Amino acid sequence: MSDSGDRSGGEAAAQDFAPDPASLAHLELILSGAYPLAGFMTREEADSVTKHGRLPDGSAWPVPVTLPVPDALADAERLTLTDPEGAPLAELRVRERWWSGAEDPQDGDGAPGHRLAGEVRFCQPPVYGALRHLRSSPEQVRGRRELAGDGGIPVLAVVTDRPLHHRELHRIRAAADDTGGGARAEVLVIIDAPLESAGTAPVVLAAEPLLPAPARFVVATLPRAGAGGSAASERRELLRAHVAAAYGATRLLALGDPVPAGDELPVPAVRAPDLAYDTAQAQWRPAGEVEPGAAARLPDEAEVEETLALGRELPAWFTPARVAAELARIRPPRTERGLTVFFTGLSGSGKSTIARGVAEGIRKSGRTLTLLDGDVVRRMLSAGLTFSRADRDMNVRRIGYVASEVARHGGVAVCAPIAPYAATRAEVRAMVEEVGDFFLVHVATPLEVCEERDRKGLYAKARAGEIPEFTGISDPYEEPEDAELVLGTEGRTVGESVAEALDALRAGGWLPTEQDRGAENRDADEPPTPQEA
């Protein structure tokens, strides 16, 4: 990209840099006016916020807002900050360079490394990112309220990244009515969605007709808090309060815990009323008024996910039909989701043979299948790559990319590379899980058994020093700690291993069971009812 700044006086040209996702989210909030900040923080400012929840000037602020950069940019004087596609968003004139050790995992400041601080100057409106039409600035949202004549109405803000089920909707309606001034508050729902995808935003939007009018929606991306348990959660809730205040909120409704409180809050936060579904009266009521044993147990997020994964309907008392339908659309049954079955193991472990058998079983189940075997991929997709660590990682990433594209369109990809490094496997998992499901199978054949098989003579050559950086001999194999299935192949036939893997996929809901197929066949054989004919 050409430099748009003034180069007179020998000033160095600005270098392009695409910040990491957290810093990019910070940048958008700075540029939109949702943050009362001019740019990225200095060491003093970040330390003050981390330790005291305040900037050095005494104003309350909950999270450090810093810009990590690679070593190559540590001495930069100017940076053009871009989106992931290279479009310029802002120019940073560096005020301070500093090193963050990130000793405190609660500071949300990322990994140790170089940081650059300074004010940012707007270049052009962002176009990258999902739901861009809903990413209005605080000034735009406040302006629309004024034009609509709603400027004097209290604003109840709800910041959420989760669906609004019946309980949440009842809570919002009750809080909107309870403003203390006799007038119902306008509801402003700020949907905290990822920048690169819609996330659960479509599900939240599905509840719009069920909210009291007037209700408005806006999408923003709040940086994820780092590790740190409750302290990190409290900082995140405080950040939500500051962003809500920027959008004109007069109160913040906390749907979960913790409820932010104290002098740091720019607007008061109110706790949502505790409600329970009374099975005896078939209605939502204040929890204290429901007889013991009559309160329905709410399904947690894992149970909701499992219900959707198995293609079952969510209870009508739990969520509105509109919300349930949108949830089912974005989280279809596992038999309809894109899936990557990723086999990893030492050379000679049997993973390719097992993967081929599993692929055939998946194909027979009726699912669209792509087999990405390690040796075939080496010839067709990764020709020219060496066996250096960098090239082996690139080979696995390429496999992961192709698998993610298969999963994106609802197909099943079966992959069988060695994939010896945990970090690279994690990259592939993250890539695939953006668009589908990931099922890691560790073919855990011991090294000595693999050497005994060694039909290609590779281990013998590696022992003789003829093959450098050979996995298991001169280079490590990092055994997975996150495998969905571990296959021990000693003393077992290939057929038994294939059957165990297919059984695991059926049990997880990714393949139809024998009962499912039997029901489908029975349905096909039965004559239609008069209503169907």
Side-chain angles (χ1 to χ4, degrees), residues 493-520:
T493 66
V494 170
E496 288 171 334
S497 295
V498 169
E500 184 177 351
L502 290 172
D503 285 345
L505 292 171
R506 291 190 191 98
W510 287 285
L511 299 180
T513 63
E514 295 296 333
Q515 292 87 339
D516 294 334
R517 288 199 292 270
E520 289 174 3

Side-chain angles (χ1 to χ4, degrees), residues 27 108 118 123 171 203 210 228 250 269 275 290 369 371 378 410 428 435 523:
L27 178 62
C123 286
R171 286 173 158 181
V203 185
L210 308 175
T250 55
L275 301 175
V290 179
L369 182 112
L371 176 62
R378 273 283 177 180
V428 172
V435 295
D523 291 342

Side-chain angles (χ1 to χ4, degrees), residues 346 348-350 442-450 453 487-490:
L346 293 167
S349 62
H442 177 204
V443 182
T445 306
L447 175 61
E448 57 271 18
V449 176
C450 295
R453 295 172 178 174
L487 287 177
T489 63
E490 281 191 281

Side-chain angles (χ1 to χ4, degrees), residues 344-354 373 375 416-418 443-459 470-472 477 487 489-490 494:
T344 176
L346 293 167
S347 177
S349 62
K351 62 186 179 301
S352 293
T353 306
I354 296 170
D373 183 43
D375 293 337
I418 293 174
V443 182
T445 306
L447 175 61
E448 57 271 18
V449 176
C450 295
E451 286 200 71
E452 288 175 6
R453 295 172 178 174
D454 200 16
R455 61 186 178 84
K456 300 178 184 178
L458 298 177
Y459 283 99
F470 190 84
T471 301
Y477 176 79
L487 287 177
T489 63
E490 281 191 281
V494 170

Side-chain angles (χ1 to χ4, degrees), residues 73-286:
L73 295 178
D75 295 326
E77 295 179 1
R78 289 194 300 150
L79 289 181
T80 297
L81 303 178
T82 74
D83 67 21
E85 296 175 345
L89 300 175
E91 183 181 285
L92 169 73
R93 290 186 176 266
V94 178
R95 173 183 166 194
E96 180 183 307
R97 302 169 185 81
W98 54 285
W99 175 267
S100 172
E103 291 86 0
D104 181 0
Q106 298 178 6
D107 65 6
D109 195 27
H114 298 283
R115 304 289 189 269
L116 297 182
E119 294 186 5
V120 294
R121 187 179 67 183
F122 175 84
C123 286
Q124 64 182 25
V127 295
Y128 170 83
L131 303 168
R132 184 54 64 185
H133 65 291
L134 289 174
R135 293 179 181 270
S136 302
S137 70
E139 183 178 12
Q140 289 171 325
V141 171
R142 295 194 305 266
R144 289 173 194 151
R145 294 188 67 248
E146 293 294 336
L147 287 174
D150 297 334
I153 300 176
V155 179
L156 176 72
V158 178
V159 186
T160 185
D161 57 359
R162 300 178 183 181
L164 299 177
H165 299 298
H166 276 309
R167 183 176 67 163
E168 288 73 32
L169 291 167
H170 278 286
R171 286 173 158 181
I172 292 170
R173 287 191 287 265
D177 287 335
D178 185 22
T179 61
R184 169 180 278 178
E186 172 188 319
V187 175
L188 173 65
V189 180
I190 301 175
I191 306 174
D192 181 7
L195 190 61
E196 69 281 356
S197 69
T200 58
V203 185
V204 179
L205 290 166
E208 181 177 8
L210 308 175
L211 290 170
R216 290 182 169 86
F217 288 78
V218 66
V219 172
T221 301
L222 275 62
R224 298 297 165 193
S230 61
S233 297
E234 289 171 8
R235 289 173 183 267
R236 183 167 177 77
E237 291 302 318
L238 288 170
L239 180 62
R240 287 181 166 186
H242 280 272
V243 171
Y247 277 96
T250 55
R251 302 171 80 194
L252 173 70
L253 177 63
L255 291 174
D257 292 321
V259 178
D263 298 337
E264 300 86 356
L265 280 179
V267 293
V270 294
R271 179 184 290 275
D274 189 14
L275 301 175
Y277 183 74
D278 190 333
T279 56
Q281 299 193 23
Q283 62 178 326
W284 286 89
R285 302 178 60 208

